[in-house]
Amino acid sequence: MIFDKKHETMSVEEMRALQLERLRHIVRYAYDHVPFYKKKYDEAGFDPDSIRTLDDIRRIPFTVKSDLRDNYPYGLISTEKKNLMRIHASSGTSGKPTVVCYTKKDMKIWTECCARLAAAAGVRKSDIVQISFGYGLFTGALGMHQGCERLGAAIIPASAGNTERQVMLLKDLQATVLVCTPSYALYIGEMIEKLGYDIKDFKLRLGLFGSEASTEEMHREIARKLNIFTNDNYGLSEIIGPGVSGECSEKCGMHINEDHFYPEVLDPETFEPVPDGTYGELVLTTLTKEGMPVIRYRTKDITTLDHTPCKCGRTTVRMAKLRGRTDDMLIIRGVNVFPSQIEGVLMNMPEVGGQYEIVVTREGYMDKIEVKVEVADGSLLVDYDNLIKLREKIRHNLKTVLQLDAQVKLVEPLTLQRFEGKSKRVTDLRKL
Ligand code: DLL
């Protein structure tokens, strides 16, 4: 089902015209209402009225995460506080959180964007949706809650944590849709097995997963464990939260709600746009945000765009599954490694369970990478010959993909850390 036929299927020419009109307005609006933008644009000699074509966006200075932090908490809002309806914040590992604000109009748009992605994934009025993201300042739970509710579905606001209870709720309340991080979905799948349930006794049919990177292989593993159709969707607090983009049933990229969020993919070194099919850093501009417009935000997320038509009928541009973030790329002995590449290798091997950890160290001048891998079946560790064979096989497969020799450590099933929210799989102990 297409939630907003008008905007999701409009012709490319109409979309570009709408984006240009909105871009011109939002840039002027930000300049007039947020001293931060006025100062930045004046200093850069950028005239907010000089935008004639969409390509002119390239002359606008970027906004980066530290701009949000430096203007904590309300420095970037463009309206009086009395007009705000919701305030969220992204967790951040240290210091003050990044605060994001919504007016009533922003809330409506956010809800509709999440409804669009949920509809594209296959959520219907008749569904019972269990939201297992942590409720609170995090945008994931309430954003998806609002979107699914807008479609008329029934919501179970389970929040994250207490995984045995999650399983009980899923089963007893006959949830048909699960919303959480992909790593939590995998953990829930393991818990169902551990508790001795048969997945056939559940009514689950669909999973909406986002908020962290996940490979196709990981989705296949979740789909198998939970016997569901899986969906990937993307967003970030600074821009709106979930609702920036999501896969349709064709699963060939995530449709961007480009009438609200203008995407550019740039070479992270030259800042030149890269052609479709080439990966680069995603830069997003909110075209309609009223409470806190964010112009040319460098997301650090690495993806590529696809403007070819999609079989689903939507005409909106699609972004590929994220390859990672510019700041989670590891450079090991000069070789660029994304954790997602390691995940892709591991999840393709049936002998391996869903969990892994990557530890990077440096001895002298030599980087070392160790990959701890849970085996799918503990009996694989009993026979020494089998163990060595499996370890060598993983090492070989990693080397083929990464061009790098990694140490592999096999561990018992269910021994590595599990995650209820975003996972943390890499520990870099080098003092770089
Ligand atoms: O994670 C918003 C969200 C919630 C999206 C629920 C989807 C579902 P933040 O906490 O601000 O917001 O984190 C944003 O998470 O820049 C990406 O690096 C990463 N991320 C989000 N979705 C995906 C995804 C929410 N589908 C940061 N695949 C972003 C890969 C993702 N990474």
Side-chain angles (χ1 to χ4, degrees):
M1 193 214 18
I2 300 182
F3 178 76
D4 182 344
K5 260 218 153 91
K6 176 168 174 224
H7 292 101
E8 292 182 86
T9 64
M10 67 179 15
S11 73
V12 174
E13 296 71 37
E14 281 175 308
M15 180 61 84
R16 297 295 165 259
L18 180 66
Q19 287 172 325
L20 179 58
E21 180 196 321
R22 288 181 168 177
L23 178 68
R24 294 177 64 158
H25 171 262
I26 199 80
V27 170
R28 179 78 230 185
Y29 174 78
Y31 183 85
D32 288 343
H33 293 87
V34 188
F36 161 83
Y37 285 113
K38 178 165 186 347
K39 184 163 176 280
K40 192 173 206 144
Y41 295 174
D42 286 349
E43 277 171 9
F46 169 71
D47 172 4
D49 288 327
S50 67
I51 296 176
R52 300 276 170 270
T53 68
L54 284 171
D55 277 344
D56 287 330
I57 199 170
R58 290 169 56 191
R59 292 191 287 107
I60 309 179
F62 294 114
T63 306
V64 293
K65 178 105 177 171
S66 57
D67 292 330
L68 274 83
R69 289 228 181 89
D70 294 346
N71 289 284
Y72 174 88
Y74 289 126
L76 293 189
I77 62 171
S78 45
T79 183
E80 289 179 57
K81 279 202 260 339
K82 69 174 184 203
N83 296 325
L84 298 180
M85 191 175 169
R86 180 77 67 73
I87 299 163
H88 279 277
S90 81
S91 47
T93 41
S94 61
K96 304 274 192 197
T98 308
V99 174
V100 292
C101 303
Y102 306 73
T103 62
K104 188 170 180 185
K105 181 179 161 213
D106 295 334
M107 288 299 294
K108 182 169 181 285
I109 290 174
W110 186 23
T111 301
E112 286 173 2
C113 286
C114 289
R116 283 187 197 180
L117 81 85
V123 177
R124 302 287 174 264
K125 185 179 177 337
S126 52
D127 277 309
I128 299 180
V129 183
Q130 181 156 324
I131 312 259
S132 302
F133 277 132
Y135 277 71
L137 289 173
F138 176 54
T139 54
L142 280 160
M144 295 303 290
H145 178 130
Q146 291 150 199
C148 293
E149 200 169 59
R150 180 73 176 72
L151 295 178
I155 312 294
I156 308 172
S159 202
N162 199 340
T163 310
E164 276 191 40
R165 196 178 156 79
Q166 298 280 350
V167 170
M168 181 190 82
L169 292 174
L170 278 174
K171 184 167 179 297
D172 295 351
L173 303 185
Q174 298 163 27
T176 52
V177 180
L178 173 64
V179 177
C180 59
T181 60
S183 45
Y184 198 35
L186 205 56
Y187 183 19
I188 290 175
E190 288 171 347
M191 185 60 82
I192 290 175
E193 285 169 8
K194 187 173 160 204
L195 295 173
Y197 290 121
D198 185 343
I199 194 66
K200 295 204 182 67
D201 297 330
F202 289 65
K203 293 273 190 297
L204 266 187
R205 62 175 191 86
L206 179 63
L208 272 57
F209 305 127
S211 170
E212 66 175 1
S214 54
T215 52
E216 297 284 0
E217 291 81 3
M218 178 152 178
H219 275 245
R220 274 205 293 277
E221 178 68 9
I222 300 170
R224 191 186 62 74
K225 268 199 161 54
L226 292 176
N227 192 25
I228 55 174
F229 185 80
T230 69
N231 161 277
D232 190 4
N233 63 81
Y234 166 85
L236 63 167
S237 329
E238 295 88 327
I239 296 298
I240 200 149
V244 172
S245 66
E247 285 178 335
C248 63
S249 51
E250 298 296 323
K251 277 175 96 68
C252 56
M254 298 185 275
H255 287 274
I256 302 180
N257 288 317
E258 58 173 326
D259 48 330
H260 296 297
F261 314 108
Y262 185 79
E264 299 168 79
V265 175
L266 307 181
D267 179 314
E269 270 154 32
T270 63
F271 301 121
E272 287 298 314
V274 297
D276 283 13
T278 303
Y279 281 76
E281 179 177 347
L282 180 67
V283 172
L284 290 168
T285 296
T286 64
L287 294 174
T288 50
K289 270 274 219 62
E290 189 181 54
M292 198 176 141
V294 179
I295 317 274
R296 292 201 95 199
Y297 185 68
R298 288 189 57 189
T299 65
K300 296 193 172 181
D301 291 321
I302 302 166
T303 186
T304 180
L305 297 180
D306 183 351
H307 286 88
T308 61
C310 182
K311 285 200 198 104
C312 74
R314 287 175 187 79
T315 49
T316 43
V317 63
R318 305 187 300 287
M319 56 185 268
K321 260 177 150 2
L322 257 60
R323 180 166 285 178
R325 290 175 55 79
T326 49
D327 52 8
D328 71 14
M329 185 181 80
L330 297 162
I331 303 180
I332 315 272
R333 281 173 250 147
V335 180
N336 296 349
V337 176
F338 284 105
S340 60
Q341 294 174 294
I342 297 179
E343 179 178 302
V345 170
L346 298 177
M347 296 284 172
N348 250 336
M349 301 181 62
E351 307 93 321
V352 165
Q355 307 289 341
Y356 62 94
E357 276 174 28
I358 300 164
V359 183
V360 187
T361 50
R362 178 167 284 178
E363 282 172 27
Y365 291 106
M366 189 69 168
D367 296 329
K368 296 214 156 162
I369 177 163
E370 183 186 59
V371 185
K372 291 185 192 167
V373 184
E374 267 184 21
V375 291
D377 175 356
S379 65
L380 282 169
L381 297 180
V382 177
D383 180 332
Y384 188 72
D385 281 351
N386 275 345
L387 187 149
I388 299 289
K389 260 193 220 141
L390 177 57
R391 211 172 60 189
E392 285 312 304
K393 186 172 160 191
I394 297 173
R395 205 167 142 192
H396 172 262
N397 290 355
L398 286 173
K399 191 161 188 176
T400 310
V401 172
L402 307 177
Q403 317 296 330
L404 196 77
D405 202 15
Q407 284 175 353
V408 175
K409 186 170 179 190
L410 299 177
V411 299
E412 294 272 357
L414 306 177
T415 49
L416 295 179
Q417 191 185 349
R418 262 57 182 165
F419 300 92
E420 294 164 353
K422 296 184 198 244
S423 57
K424 183 181 177 304
R425 301 196 190 274
V426 181
T427 311
D428 193 341
L429 297 170
R430 295 173 296 180
K431 309 232 172 341
L432 295 178

